[in-house]
Amino acid sequence: MAHQDAPQPGRRDFLYIAAGAVGAVGVAGVTWPLINQLNPDASVLALASIEFDLSGIEEGQSVTIKWRGLPVFVRHRTAAEIAEAQAVPLSDLKDPETDEQRTKPGHEQWLIMIANCTHLGCVPVGESGDFDGWFCPCHGSHYDSAGRIRKGPAPKNLVLPPYEFVSDTLVKIG
């Protein structure tokens, strides 16, 4: 018997390859809509960043706005609140962060934070608690006037969203 080379591709091999390619395209066609539906819808993307006018907030006043479906505290702090926050030694803090790290240079009077307790996501009550900041009545977390955790089960400071000042009275969050 003579030694035979590799078998020549035939019609059956072509049909296997063609069927596999059609199957792969079919799987991709079904999978794409399922994955795409996980993307955020247009209403969420529209809220990816917002601009907020600070001029209506008096010194010592806080407002709560909504950004990406989350409540955000915007506080116009008094000089006394700023001085009190800057005087706290880092050794007294559970999550050490200076007051300067929590505000923007030249805008220290403005404190902008996501209004969710870092323990279980409750919304703290403003201008209350043991440190003249925020108090989460659900589990007893106390935050100071810079939104830093000082007492209670919360592990971290209130979260700062990404923001920048467009002008002295206009801030862009997101």
Side-chain angles (χ1 to χ4, degrees):
M1 274 193 133
H3 177 67
Q4 292 182 343
D5 292 333
Q8 296 295 318
R11 187 177 185 151
R12 183 172 290 173
D13 295 329
F14 172 76
L15 289 175
Y16 284 145
I17 293 170
V22 168
V25 169
V27 167
V30 169
T31 306
W32 178 254
L34 294 175
I35 293 172
N36 192 40
Q37 65 93 21
L38 296 173
N39 288 329
D41 69 349
S43 65
V44 172
L45 293 175
L47 294 175
S49 67
I50 60 169
E51 289 186 354
F52 184 72
D53 183 12
L54 303 169
S55 62
I57 305 174
E58 299 293 325
E59 188 176 49
Q61 182 184 11
S62 292
V63 297
T64 304
I65 60 174
K66 200 168 190 175
W67 169 68
R68 291 187 179 175
L70 298 171
V72 174
F73 291 142
V74 179
R75 173 114 178 118
H76 190 172
R77 301 187 303 169
T78 64
E81 288 174 325
I82 295 169
E84 179 183 343
Q86 291 176 345
V88 175
L90 289 180
S91 60
D92 289 357
L93 301 174
K94 194 186 281 191
D95 182 13
E97 202 173 24
T98 65
D99 185 63
E100 292 80 12
Q101 290 173 299
R102 298 195 51 80
T103 59
K104 299 289 184 190
H107 300 281
E108 291 81 10
Q109 72 275 27
W110 296 107
L111 184 61
I112 300 172
M113 310 172 296
I114 295 176
N116 283 358
C117 177
T118 56
H119 180 237
L120 290 176
C122 311
V123 177
V125 177
E127 300 170 41
S128 60
D130 293 349
F131 302 95
D132 299 324
W134 289 266
F135 172 66
C136 184
C138 302
H139 301 98
S141 293
H142 296 258
Y143 298 90
D144 67 7
S145 61
R148 300 173 297 194
I149 183 64
R150 298 289 300 276
K151 180 176 162 186
K156 299 276 185 190
N157 301 329
L158 292 175
V159 176
L160 304 176
Y163 70 95
E164 63 182 324
F165 283 87
V166 177
S167 70
D168 283 341
T169 60
L170 189 65
V171 67
K172 180 181 177 183
I173 302 174

